[in-house]
Amino acid sequence: MRQFVVIGRDVPTDPDAISLSDIPGAGRLDLCCRCVSAGVFLSHGIRESVRIHLVVANEFTVTFDSDTLRHLHPDERNVAARVRDALAAKDDAIGHMPADVSPGVELRRMGLDATLDRLVGEDGRGPDGTLVQLHEEGDPLVDAEPPTDPVFVLSDHHDFAPEEADAVAERAERRLRVGPELLHADHTITVVHNWLDTDGYASY
């Protein structure tokens, strides 16, 4: 399983504040939607064993599970509509029990810390995977052995806030960089997928 946690810091928690005619105006939800698409879609298909966790305003986490997704299309409008539907179902998320939004989409009443604890635990080696920090000062991907069941954390158009960076660094099993230039989060997801698809650029 490959998992990506994407922080959508400015995305509104009120579904009525998300207009499908102005997706960038909803806290740059367009960037988050591109991350979802880059994470779960192939050309003319959907990847297997991928989950994208969109952390909205550090209050809710919307999870897209590629193995059970149905009727989702890669365009931003379609993904944004699914995020809006998830936020509309937030009253059904009780405690840490998720609200089922549609096949393959759930919403949990969790911010970043709780989501990372659920995925990797406080020490970065939890039941669902190992946290890998993507950092400009990390080891190059080409020199690293691909991890089993990795969990990657990315931010939207903002840099990580200090508390977010600390939460990731405290749990990270290793720190890697995707290349010499800073990339958009959705492009980073594509690069990481390619690295994992090729077993560390060793098999094509």
Side-chain angles (χ1 to χ4, degrees):
M1 174 67 69
R2 304 173 188 178
Q3 302 191 75
F4 299 88
V5 178
V6 180
I7 300 171
R9 192 172 293 101
D10 298 332
V11 176
T13 60
D14 180 0
D16 293 336
I18 297 176
S19 170
L20 299 184
S21 299
D22 182 18
I23 299 171
R28 294 312 309 269
L29 177 58
D30 58 316
L31 302 178
C32 299
C33 292
R34 289 201 289 273
C35 287
V36 173
S37 294
V40 301
F41 287 105
L42 293 164
S43 179
H44 305 292
I46 294 181
R47 286 184 174 275
E48 296 180 356
S49 299
V50 176
R51 291 186 186 133
I52 308 293
H53 308 277
L54 174 58
V55 180
V56 177
N58 205 28
E59 293 184 42
F60 301 98
T61 295
V62 182
T63 297
F64 293 79
D65 187 331
S66 69
D67 289 340
T68 53
L69 273 175
R70 298 291 182 273
H71 313 301
L72 186 71
H73 303 287
D75 61 282
E76 292 173 18
R77 184 182 178 91
N78 192 267
V79 177
R82 204 64 60 94
V83 173
R84 186 175 65 179
D85 291 346
L87 292 170
K90 62 187 177 185
D91 288 345
D92 296 331
I94 301 172
H96 285 176
M97 295 297 295
D100 291 322
V101 180
S102 61
V105 182
E106 295 179 335
L107 176 136
R108 286 178 170 82
R109 198 175 287 274
M110 290 182 172
L112 179 62
D113 271 327
T115 293
L116 293 181
D117 283 347
R118 185 175 73 86
L119 298 180
V120 301
E122 294 183 1
D123 61 356
R125 289 179 173 273
D128 288 340
T130 299
L131 186 65
V132 179
Q133 183 181 21
L134 297 174
H135 195 281
E136 60 189 281
E137 296 180 1
D139 297 327
L141 286 184
V142 69
D143 295 333
E145 186 76 17
T148 301
D149 297 325
V151 178
F152 303 92
V153 185
L154 306 101
S155 186
D156 53 14
H157 58 299
H158 295 292
D159 291 335
F160 284 102
E163 62 273 14
E164 295 166 347
D166 289 345
V168 174
E170 288 168 0
R171 296 172 175 85
E173 190 268 340
R174 67 175 84 174
R175 189 163 70 170
L176 301 175
R177 73 173 187 265
V178 299
E181 304 291 346
L182 295 178
L183 303 178
H184 291 163
D186 56 321
H187 297 166
T188 299
I189 290 173
T190 299
V191 171
V192 168
H193 267 320
N194 181 254
W195 176 59
L196 296 171
D197 289 343
T198 59
D199 194 23
Y201 304 129
S203 175
Y204 283 83

